[in-house]
Amino acid sequence: MADDRRPAGKPIIVLSWAGTAVFTATAILSTFVEATRAVGVVVALVLFGLGCVAFLAAFARAVDRSRTEEIGIGGLYFLAGSAPGAVRWHLLGSTAVQTTVAFTTASLRPFTGVAFGILVPMYGLGLAGLWASRHGDFPPRTRLRPKKQRTR
């Protein structure tokens, strides 16, 4: 793993914050300027779609790695014990910002296109999973012994 100043998977971290910035800007704008709501909806749906793709790609890669490593959902999507503190802070921090912005703006303009922002945190979780599936540290799988046959 690279040092904390330049962690592995830096492009994933940058993408997470970039998506968060674009979403935050369009969500706030959509909340207060009705004419921009269509843009906010498109951004929210695109980020949700990208998050779903990243989530599934992370899962597929984790399934492959699980043959030799113990991978749990907490370590995969919430980076529990699988990522350095700086990486965890960035990826989960951007997801927390997405969640906060989504719930705040949706509560200010419920029953409008702004509410589509609730879907955006899938982007953050998907990228966290993608980072962990590619760069995460997981313990080796313990070998399971076959059960002994009962004899009578």
Side-chain angles (χ1 to χ4, degrees):
M1 173 104 22
D3 66 303
D4 283 334
R5 290 172 292 169
R6 182 145 172 90
K10 179 91 172 173
I12 294 172
I13 296 168
V14 170
L15 281 174
S16 185
W17 280 114
T20 300
V22 170
F23 168 64
T24 300
T26 58
I28 291 171
L29 190 61
S30 297
T31 300
F32 298 108
V33 181
E34 189 172 341
T36 63
R37 288 203 180 134
V39 173
V41 169
V42 169
V43 168
L45 290 176
V46 166
L47 290 175
F48 174 69
L50 292 172
C52 288
V53 169
F55 195 92
L56 293 173
F59 184 74
R61 190 171 188 115
V63 166
D64 186 50
R65 283 184 67 180
S66 71
R67 293 181 180 131
T68 59
E69 298 169 279
E70 294 282 343
I71 299 178
I73 296 299
L76 182 61
Y77 293 108
F78 297 104
L79 308 174
S82 63
V87 171
R88 190 170 45 253
W89 187 91
H90 280 289
L91 291 172
L92 296 182
S94 68
T95 303
V97 170
Q98 293 164 20
T99 304
T100 302
V101 169
F103 278 91
T104 301
T105 56
S107 68
L108 291 172
R109 296 287 184 259
F111 311 113
T112 68
V114 176
F116 278 94
I118 295 295
L119 301 171
V120 172
M122 185 66 167
Y123 179 72
L125 284 177
L127 289 180
L130 194 61
W131 188 95
S133 70
R134 290 182 175 195
H135 308 288
D137 291 325
F138 297 98
R141 179 170 285 288
T142 56
R143 185 174 175 187
L144 299 175
R145 294 183 193 165
K147 291 184 179 182
K148 292 183 178 181
Q149 296 290 330
R150 284 193 204 185
T151 57
R152 291 190 179 198

